[in-house]
């Protein structure tokens, strides 16, 4: 793994010196089809923000572009960032498929694409996949939920049925009602995490982008990645998290809900 990414270190912070600590850097980023807040289409800016993040796993939403034919953009971003690419198309078109993607420097195994679409609404989906970090299996669910409350309620119920014991859930949840049912259900399973404002990028007001980690014993530090570049590159700011755990916290466990 690259420096500062997924890797192991020993001791520190009053821990027993023999304890092995695994560190994983995550980010979720709605790239808004590479159109920035200034109205300019520029995939190079998105690439440069991904470089700034220096994350082991980056979940992307709204991966689409007029000149790179949809999810071919994800392949280009992965090649430019030297990260492996997992594509999660939600809209299939002749000129190219569009939707979600995960860029990662971690090893990964099974990939399960989840259709969260509802009739009459914009297609939505999630990437449910296994990543391995220093011998520990972690389930990653990366998603982009719908714009309407009844959509999100059904979509969150479907996703929570898939959650296993070692799980990261992240993405653009489009949920600004912090007291709403979908967030209460997620918190009941994952516990509380900070609701940091990521939208709109030039003056963030709403915590639309979220990251949750299970089990709760994992250490979690979260921040909004706000730089001069990220404030212009998309209408969302990236949300970044660093998680740490003793390796292994328990023997690797397989995620639930493979159906």
């Amino acid at each position: 793994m690259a420096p500062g990414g997924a890797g192991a270190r020993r001791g520190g912070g009053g821990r027993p010196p023999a304890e092995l600590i695994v560190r994983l850097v995550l980010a979720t980023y709605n790239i808004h089809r590479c159109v920035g807040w200034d109205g300019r289409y520029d995939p190079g800016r998105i690439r440069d923000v991904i470089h700034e993040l220096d994350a082991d796993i980056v979940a992307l939403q709204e991966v689409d572009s007029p000149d790179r034919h949809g999810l071919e953009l994800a392949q280009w971003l992965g090649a430019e960032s030297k990260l492996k690419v997992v594509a999660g198309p939600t809209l299939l078109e002749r000129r190219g498929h569009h939707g979600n993607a995960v860029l990662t420097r971690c090893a990964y195994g099974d990939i399960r694409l989840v259709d969260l679409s509802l009739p009459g609404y914009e297609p939505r989906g999630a990437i449910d996949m296994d990543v391995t970090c220093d011998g520990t299996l972690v389930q990653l669910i990366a998603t982009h939920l719908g714009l309407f409350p009844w959509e999100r309620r059904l979509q969150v119920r479907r996703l929570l049925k898939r959650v296993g014991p070692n799980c990261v859930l992240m993405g653009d949840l489009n949920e600004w009602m912090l007291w709403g049912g979908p967030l209460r259900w997620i918190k009941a399973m994952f516990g509380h995490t900070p609701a940091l404002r990521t939208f709109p990028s030039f003056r963030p007001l709403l915590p639309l982008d979220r990251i949750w980690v299970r089990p709760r014993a994992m250490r979690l530090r979260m921040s909004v990645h706000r730089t001069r570049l990220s404030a212009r590159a998309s209408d969302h700011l990236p949300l970044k998290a660093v998680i740490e755990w003793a390796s292994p916290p328990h023997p690797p466990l397989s995620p639930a809900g493979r159906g």
Side-chain angles (χ1 to χ4, degrees):
M1 298 300 173
R9 58 185 178 82
R10 293 187 180 274
R15 303 184 187 96
E19 187 177 40
L20 188 64
I21 301 300
V22 178
R23 181 175 183 266
L24 184 66
V25 182
L26 310 165
T28 182
Y29 189 19
N30 184 326
I31 66 173
H32 195 234
R33 301 177 177 87
C34 297
V35 177
W37 192 254
D38 54 6
R40 183 159 63 92
Y41 167 73
D42 188 347
R45 294 193 297 194
I46 299 298
R47 172 201 59 204
D48 293 344
V49 172
I50 292 171
H51 287 168
E52 287 182 348
L53 288 166
D54 191 25
D56 301 302
I57 299 173
V58 184
L60 302 178
Q61 302 88 44
E62 293 193 22
V63 183
D64 186 9
S65 69
D67 69 341
R68 295 189 189 277
H69 307 292
L71 282 168
E72 288 183 14
L73 170 67
Q75 300 297 330
W76 180 81
L77 289 171
E80 289 286 301
S81 306
K82 297 181 173 56
L83 298 171
K84 298 183 283 289
V85 179
V86 176
T90 57
L91 181 61
L92 308 181
E93 294 184 330
R94 179 173 297 178
R95 71 181 183 91
H97 304 333
H98 319 289
N100 306 312
V102 170
L103 309 183
T104 181
R105 58 172 66 115
C106 296
Y108 64 85
D110 289 349
I111 300 167
R112 302 165 290 276
L113 300 183
V114 185
D115 186 2
L116 299 175
S117 303
L118 297 173
Y121 296 94
E122 182 178 348
R124 301 287 180 176
I127 301 171
D128 177 2
M129 59 185 290
D130 302 339
V131 295
T132 302
C133 309
D134 288 292
T136 300
L137 182 67
V138 178
Q139 180 189 14
L140 171 69
I141 300 177
T143 191
H144 187 190
L145 301 187
L147 295 175
F148 298 96
W150 51 90
E151 280 186 278
R152 296 193 295 272
R153 285 195 288 268
L154 292 172
Q155 290 162 346
V156 167
R157 285 192 181 109
R158 291 181 188 177
L159 289 178
L160 292 181
K161 291 178 180 178
R162 309 183 67 87
V163 171
N166 282 9
C167 185
V168 174
L169 171 63
M170 64 178 178
D172 179 359
L173 269 63
N174 267 322
E175 184 63 76
W176 51 86
M177 295 182 291
L178 299 181
W179 56 90
L183 291 186
R184 292 201 312 271
W185 304 332
I186 294 173
K187 290 175 184 176
M189 182 170 287
F190 285 85
H192 173 77
T193 60
L196 304 182
R197 299 174 182 180
T198 56
F199 179 87
S201 57
F202 79 101
R203 185 181 295 173
L205 298 173
L206 300 175
L208 300 187
D209 305 278
R210 303 296 297 269
I211 299 174
W212 280 275
V213 176
R214 189 184 192 207
R216 303 180 193 186
M218 290 184 178
R219 297 185 177 203
L220 174 66
R221 291 181 284 117
M222 199 173 302
S223 61
V224 176
H225 182 77
R226 187 173 189 180
T227 64
R228 184 174 182 179
L229 179 61
S230 67
R232 285 183 172 270
S234 170
D235 62 346
H236 286 243
L237 293 171
L239 182 66
K240 187 173 180 178
V242 178
I243 60 175
E244 293 181 340
W245 67 92
S247 178
H250 43 66
L253 296 169
S254 297
R258 293 179 179 274

